[in-house]
Amino acid sequence: MAQAIPGACFQSLDGEGPVVISVPHGGRAYPPGMTDDLRVPLSAVMALEDRLVDLVGEAARSIEPMLVQSTPRAWIDLNRDERERDPLIDEGARVGARASTKLRSGLGLVPRRVAGHGDIWTRRFGDAEMVARIESDHRPYHQALAERLAATRARYGMAVLLDLHSMPPLGAPGLVPRVVIGDRHGTTAAPRFVRRIEVEARGAGIAITRNAPYAGGYIVERHGDPRRGIHAVQLELDRSLYLDAALEAPGPGFDATVLLVRRILAALATEAMGQPATLAAE
């Protein structure tokens, strides 16, 4: 299991190799007192989690370093710029500072709404409260991730970030993608890494698309810099691939999904190290 970093709200697994795993929406450690500010049941905001995708990542990794956020997305979303503060719930937000589409829809740095339930909070938060969340959760995670990627690039000549997420089912299996790659439309990773992921998914008989409906968020945008040898890809897994019918606990497809992610990690490492696929399999 991942180990908590003293004083930080994330867990870390040390490792080696050119691939680094990030799981920013796997947190389930809801801070004490948070429920006092909710206008909806805690189960409603749990829908914002990438439910148990951290368990997929932990089971799939072999030697790769991995970072997992401990606190939940409802508390603060690491896949948003710290400037994406929602003035409707944040007294310190500056209107127009970074008015993204996600923020306008209620999914800013601290989510305001959750699908099927509407508004989450009973009050607006003070500037000091939000700054405290940024300084204790958001900045340390991104600093640790940046340091890990820099160290990996220094050792191996490049680094590949796999930012692991999950998504609700988009429709009937076979008619819609069940895996989505986000590389910000080709800006955060070289195409060869994206192609390797596509090959593995299609080899497993799983429909996959690029950048639709998810093109990648702030994490790959911030940390991906192919010109400097850091490639970043967001990977969305349909939750029905690895969870039960209620989308709450590991289901019958968990092991197969772990194997798929394991093969993706190996393929990315092989590509980063410049080994031909046939040689790597021997």
Side-chain angles (χ1 to χ4, degrees), residues 1-13:
M1 297 292 288
Q3 300 297 312
I5 302 297
C9 294
F10 62 91
Q11 300 172 307
S12 177
L13 277 170

Side-chain angles (χ1 to χ4, degrees), residues 30 53 70 172 183 214 263 266 277:
Y30 286 82
V53 77
S70 301
D183 65 352
Y214 306 107
R263 291 179 66 88

Side-chain angles (χ1 to χ4, degrees), residues 31-45:
M34 177 178 165
T35 54
D36 296 339
D37 293 322
L38 291 175
R39 68 168 66 245
V40 297
L42 182 61
S43 59
V45 297

